[in-house]
Amino acid sequence: QVLLLESGGGSVQPGGSLNLTCVSSGRTNSDFCMAWFRQAPGKEREVVARVYYNYDPLYVDSVKGRFTMTRVANTVYLQMTNLKLEDAAMYYCAARTDYCRTDPSEFTSWGLGTRVTVSS
């Protein structure tokens, strides 16, 4: 298990951009899946983007073309552009050993989250 710390959340108008960062305390740059989840009030936690080792990141359909996940050593980033009202949520960084999964229960390490607010 590793410690994860997210940062970069904030409040923007629709069409705006934000960059999230997740720093890991441990070695997560090899046989680890790193993922970004989000959870809006009253909704289930959903995976937004995930990347295993040095494979290409995978995205949920609703953010394809707008969000970009990158991974550098023990840090993962989520660049979010053209934000929509429905992107507003608490965003969490998560990690698990081995290949990526989409079920949040499969992840063993979680950050405390960073809030993204999108409003006009």
Side-chain angles (χ1 to χ4, degrees):
Q1 194 169 12
V2 296
L3 296 178
L4 304 172
L5 180 63
E6 307 98 333
S7 62
S11 182
V12 297
Q13 294 183 335
S17 300
L18 284 172
N19 296 316
L20 305 184
T21 300
C22 172
V23 179
S24 167
S25 66
R27 178 174 167 270
T28 55
N29 60 344
S30 58
D31 189 27
F32 265 81
C33 170
M34 299 296 295
W36 287 98
F37 285 79
R38 66 185 178 188
Q39 188 166 20
K43 294 189 176 181
E44 294 185 352
R45 190 169 295 191
E46 66 167 349
V47 64
V48 174
R50 60 203 188 273
V51 64
Y52 172 69
Y53 194 23
N54 59 352
Y55 287 38
D56 290 335
L58 300 174
Y59 302 92
V60 66
D61 286 346
S62 61
V63 307
K64 285 181 180 177
R66 300 188 297 120
F67 289 14
T68 302
M69 182 178 186
T70 54
R71 181 174 185 170
V72 179
N74 290 346
T75 302
V76 290
Y77 305 91
L78 186 67
Q79 182 181 14
M80 305 185 295
T81 63
N82 191 21
L83 283 161
K84 303 178 179 181
L85 294 174
E86 53 265 37
D87 294 319
M90 185 72 82
Y91 282 70
Y92 299 91
C93 180
R96 71 182 301 276
T97 55
D98 211 347
Y99 294 104
C100 286
R101 299 288 186 267
T102 58
D103 185 345
S105 68
E106 299 276 2
F107 287 78
T108 55
S109 299
W110 290 88
L112 296 179
T114 184
R115 184 171 299 280
V116 171
T117 302
V118 184
S119 63
S120 55

